Amino acid sequence: MPKKVDHRERREEIARALWRVVEQQGWNRATMREVAREAGASLGQVQHYFSTRTAMLTFAMEFAAEHTSHRVAEGLAGVAHPRDVLRVTLAEMLPLRPDSRATSRMNAAYVLEALHDPELHTRLRDELREKRAIVEHLIRQAIADGHIPADRDPAVETNLVLSLTGLTTLLELDVIEPSAALAAIDQHLDRLFVRPPRSGSAARADRTG
Amino acid sequence: MPKKVDHRERREEIARALWRVVEQQGWNRATMREVAREAGASLGQVQHYFSTRTAMLTFAMEFAAEHTSHRVAEGLAGVAHPRDVLRVTLAEMLPLRPDSRATSRMNAAYVLEALHDPELHTRLRDELREKRAIVEHLIRQAIADGHIPADRDPAVETNLVLSLTGLTTLLELDVIEPSAALAAIDQHLDRLFVRPPRSGSAARADRTG
């Protein structure tokens, strides 16, 4: 079905144009008209693919989330220990590289937009609850497998792991370096897990993406 | 100088109107015209107090930061232990109550705006570096006083404490309850400090420091 593929490709091109507008000019400027200009398309063409600005933003966010999942999956190739799974996942959620920075900024803007848009709020809430449940499942399994001490509270530990995304603001404002963010993540995970799979900071630095 | 006081009061009224617009309609709608409408003033009156939208946003942010400092100072009355100082400070930075929610949202929007505005970026970076230095100083002092184990890295621990503001997104999207955010903060601080001032749970026993 080449037509369907083209449709999808064209929507993705528009989504990428939207990312660039958000990255360079900010969320406020991400109107359908400006995105059309950036994509080298007419406003009518963009409106053909997305009936509303919200539909365009939603698709761009979902596409960004797919990209993040893809990067996480790539980072997890050959990784089995739950400590490494959490480390790779957290590192990809932080704005440490151009691609993760773009999706991180999209996400921050989207969360802000959701605060006064009930439909977006429900959608984002459900997505984040689902992600949180996956992390809690991983932590419960790590406790069952003896990787995390049995007296840890899985719900509390899940919230603490997810709170590490709060390093985003420090990174975006150049208050700390990427290496400091990774050191903080490693320190937290070292205290969460019984035994880090690899010891020594040198070995850990090698895994830096 | 009553005239100067009036000027300040009028600017604060406009800043409060801006907060309400941001809270209810989002940052995008916070134009000088919309803020004037919310404040019951004319556009010309708002322009008399603020020459540009950026000047208005900056004043509103500084006013919000003052409010946060004031709330923290109130919360710290009679508090001396560094663990409690960090707990009160973190709790006031999270959107747990209407007033801290308003300032938290203002702040999130402002950070996003700073990503494509070099002047705002520099200003916010300097402010956040200053706040970070205060927290690191507190942690170094707590290590010197024996409240935090001597083998902890003050810079890493500072970044971990500040990363707890990452609970904001989970709270704003109703993924976790305020009580869960406070439990996560308590758990983190229990593991950071040698002796929690409040009697905790068996969780203390698993401290690895």
Side-chain angles (χ1 to χ4, degrees):
Chain A
M1 291 179 287
K3 201 176 176 188
K4 195 176 174 186
V5 171
D6 286 351
H7 186 75
R8 171 80 195 181
E9 273 177 10
R10 197 70 190 115
R11 283 164 69 96
E12 291 183 359
E13 274 172 34
I14 294 168
R16 283 177 201 279
L18 170 61
W19 292 2
R20 290 195 297 276
V21 172
V22 170
E23 171 103 28
Q24 289 155 20
Q25 305 180 56
W27 189 256
N28 293 4
R29 297 292 190 84
T31 59
M32 294 180 89
R33 191 176 298 275
E34 184 60 25
V35 171
R37 200 197 52 74
E38 175 69 30
S42 70
L43 177 60
Q45 283 171 313
V46 171
Q47 285 169 335
H48 171 72
Y49 291 100
F50 302 104
S51 58
T52 62
R53 178 176 183 261
T54 301
M56 177 181 73
L57 299 178
T58 300
F59 177 80
M61 267 310 295
E62 284 171 356
F63 187 43
E66 269 176 43
H67 266 244
T68 305
S69 298
H70 187 68
R71 287 199 314 271
V72 170
E74 276 187 345
L76 290 179
V79 165
H81 196 285
R83 184 190 182 287
D84 289 337
V85 173
L86 289 180
R87 188 181 194 278
V88 167
T89 306
L90 284 165
E92 287 299 342
M93 287 170 78
L94 292 177
L96 296 173
R97 291 191 315 222
D99 51 354
S100 56
R101 187 155 44 239
T103 48
S104 166
R105 288 181 180 187
M106 282 291 298
N107 195 54
Y110 209 60
V111 167
L112 217 56
E113 187 101 348
L115 299 185
H116 48 92
D117 182 326
E119 193 190 317
L120 281 190
H121 191 276
T122 303
R123 176 194 291 267
L124 270 181
R125 183 199 63 198
D126 292 349
E127 280 174 13
L128 195 52
R129 281 183 181 172
E130 204 176 306
K131 280 178 197 160
R132 197 199 159 283
I134 292 170
V135 173
E136 184 166 335
H137 177 78
L138 182 146
I139 287 179
R140 284 184 187 279
Q141 191 59 47
I143 291 173
D145 294 343
H147 294 306
I148 293 176
D151 59 358
R152 295 296 177 94
D153 182 319
V156 171
E157 299 301 342
T158 300
N159 296 336
L160 281 174
V161 163
L162 292 176
S163 80
L164 290 167
T165 56
L167 294 164
T168 297
T169 307
L170 297 173
L171 287 164
E172 286 281 27
L173 293 177
D174 297 329
V175 173
I176 64 171
E177 295 291 318
S179 59
L182 292 171
I185 288 173
D186 278 329
Q187 181 62 262
H188 184 83
L189 295 179
D190 280 351
R191 288 212 280 270
L192 175 60
F193 284 87
V194 171
R195 262 187 314 272
R198 279 162 238 193
S199 61
S201 56
R204 229 168 278 141
D206 287 345
R207 283 183 285 159
T208 302
Chain B
M1 290 180 288
K3 202 174 175 189
K4 194 176 175 187
V5 172
D6 285 352
H7 187 76
R8 171 79 195 183
E9 273 178 8
R10 196 70 191 116
R11 281 163 72 97
E12 290 184 3
E13 273 172 35
I14 294 168
R16 284 177 201 280
L18 170 61
W19 292 1
R20 291 195 296 274
V21 172
V22 170
E23 171 102 31
Q24 289 155 21
Q25 305 179 57
W27 189 257
N28 293 3
R29 297 293 190 85
T31 58
M32 294 180 87
R33 192 176 297 277
E34 184 60 25
V35 171
R37 201 198 51 71
E38 175 68 30
S42 69
L43 177 59
Q45 283 172 314
V46 170
Q47 285 168 335
H48 171 70
Y49 291 101
F50 302 104
S51 56
T52 62
R53 179 175 183 262
T54 301
M56 176 181 74
L57 299 178
T58 300
F59 177 79
M61 267 310 295
E62 285 171 357
F63 188 43
E66 270 175 42
H67 265 245
T68 305
S69 298
H70 187 68
R71 288 199 314 271
V72 170
E74 276 187 345
L76 289 179
V79 165
H81 196 286
R83 183 189 183 286
D84 289 338
V85 173
L86 289 179
R87 188 181 195 277
V88 167
T89 306
L90 285 165
E92 286 300 341
M93 287 170 79
L94 293 177
L96 296 173
R97 291 193 314 223
D99 50 356
S100 56
R101 186 153 48 239
T103 48
S104 166
R105 287 181 181 186
M106 281 291 298
N107 195 55
Y110 208 62
V111 168
L112 217 54
E113 187 101 348
L115 299 184
H116 48 91
D117 181 326
E119 193 190 317
L120 281 190
H121 192 277
T122 302
R123 176 193 292 267
L124 271 179
R125 183 199 64 198
D126 292 348
E127 280 173 12
L128 195 51
R129 281 183 181 173
E130 203 176 309
K131 281 179 196 159
R132 195 198 161 283
I134 292 170
V135 174
E136 185 167 334
H137 176 77
L138 183 146
I139 287 179
R140 284 185 187 278
Q141 191 60 48
I143 291 173
D145 294 343
H147 294 307
I148 294 176
D151 59 356
R152 296 297 178 91
D153 181 320
V156 171
E157 299 301 342
T158 300
N159 296 338
L160 281 174
V161 163
L162 292 176
S163 81
L164 289 166
T165 56
L167 294 164
T168 297
T169 307
L170 297 172
L171 287 164
E172 286 282 25
L173 293 177
D174 296 328
V175 173
I176 64 171
E177 295 290 319
S179 59
L182 292 172
I185 288 174
D186 278 329
Q187 182 61 263
H188 184 83
L189 295 179
D190 279 351
R191 289 212 280 269
L192 176 60
F193 283 88
V194 172
R195 264 187 314 274
R198 287 161 216 190
S199 63
S201 61
R204 234 176 301 164
D206 67 41
R207 216 171 40 233
T208 53

